[in-house]
Amino acid sequence: MSGFRRWLRRRWPLALTVGYEVLVLGGLALSGEWSLLKPLNTALLIAVGPLAIAIGWLWVKRRKRQDRVPVVSAYTYDVFLSYSTKDTDEANRVRDQLENSNLSCFMASQDIQGGDSWSDVIRNGLLHSREICILVTVNSLSSDWVSAEWGAAWVLQRRVVPLLQGVASGNLPHRLRNVQTRNFSDLGKYIGEVARRREEGEG
């Protein structure tokens, strides 16, 4: 898509109202009817264009605010742990070691309470986590929830760390193959890196 078409697609209300103003004023001038119109009608015709432009511009600004990724000034969690429920025991081990190192961890099975909306709690957890750790197993590779979680983290521009257990890095989804992985057997190394990133204020 060309730059002009992309601009037009995002700001079509503004372009449409500018075009309207040009047509109204140009039509009046070319037809020679300008002087025949009553002053009040002329004023109304001229005013409609700027008013419509203002409304269109406010609409565009509102859309831009809605599309903007929320900015978080302080993180509630150091790590968002993404995993398959079939690997809950291993995920609990990761969470326990993080918390033993004074690092906070979002884990769905622990943080979602009765009556909560899963999607809302998970979305909030992702938004307020400094990074996401994917416990990559045969089970999680086929999990739609895990795919959705790391995809959302990528959109939010969070650090995504695949923690491999029984899976080669070549089996990762294509978008994750250029990301440095860590092995579950060397969990302590990853947790040390998380602690250093928090201390240095890195994302």
Side-chain angles (χ1 to χ4, degrees):
M1 182 180 292
S2 67
F4 174 76
R5 288 178 61 192
R6 186 161 47 247
W7 180 92
L8 188 60
R9 182 179 178 182
R10 292 184 177 182
R11 295 173 175 81
W12 66 264
L14 180 60
L16 184 62
T17 50
V18 169
Y20 168 85
E21 184 75 0
V22 171
L23 286 173
V24 168
L25 297 179
L28 288 173
L30 292 175
S31 66
E33 297 296 327
W34 184 282
S35 61
L36 299 180
L37 293 172
K38 294 181 180 180
L40 179 59
N41 290 340
T42 302
L44 288 174
L45 283 171
I46 295 173
V48 166
L51 179 61
I53 290 174
I55 294 173
W57 182 252
L58 288 173
W59 182 85
V60 171
K61 295 291 285 184
R62 181 172 179 271
R63 283 293 302 275
K64 289 177 71 175
R65 285 197 299 271
Q66 291 175 338
D67 294 340
R68 190 178 300 133
V69 173
V71 177
V72 177
S73 58
Y75 295 106
T76 304
Y77 306 100
D78 295 301
V79 175
F80 180 103
L81 183 56
S82 181
Y83 64 99
S84 166
T85 54
K86 296 178 181 179
D87 302 315
T88 300
D89 289 343
E90 292 81 358
N92 281 327
R93 180 179 167 187
V94 176
R95 178 188 172 96
D96 289 346
Q97 290 203 31
L98 283 166
E99 293 186 340
N100 289 339
S101 299
N102 295 317
L103 297 167
S104 54
C105 174
F106 176 93
M107 183 174 174
S109 63
Q110 301 295 324
D111 290 281
I112 297 178
Q113 303 179 21
D116 285 345
S117 166
W118 286 23
S119 58
D120 288 345
V121 175
I122 289 174
R123 185 186 302 110
N124 188 66
L126 281 166
L127 183 60
H128 292 87
S129 295
R130 187 182 301 277
E131 63 182 72
I132 179 173
C133 173
I134 313 170
L135 180 56
V136 183
T137 66
V138 173
N139 297 319
S140 66
L141 286 176
S142 59
S143 169
D144 292 337
W145 270 106
V146 171
S147 297
E149 288 167 355
W150 71 255
W154 181 81
V155 171
L156 290 170
Q157 299 181 344
R158 298 293 192 267
R159 179 186 293 271
V160 178
V161 182
L163 188 64
L164 307 181
Q165 186 189 34
V167 175
S169 57
N171 293 326
L172 288 170
H174 180 73
R175 193 177 294 279
L176 293 177
R177 291 180 188 175
N178 64 341
V179 175
Q180 180 61 53
T181 63
R182 288 290 176 254
N183 291 315
F184 185 82
S185 59
D186 199 9
L187 184 56
K189 180 177 182 179
Y190 167 63
I191 292 175
E193 292 174 342
V194 175
R196 177 187 59 78
R197 283 193 286 271
R198 185 181 69 173
E199 182 178 346
E200 296 178 357
E202 295 182 19

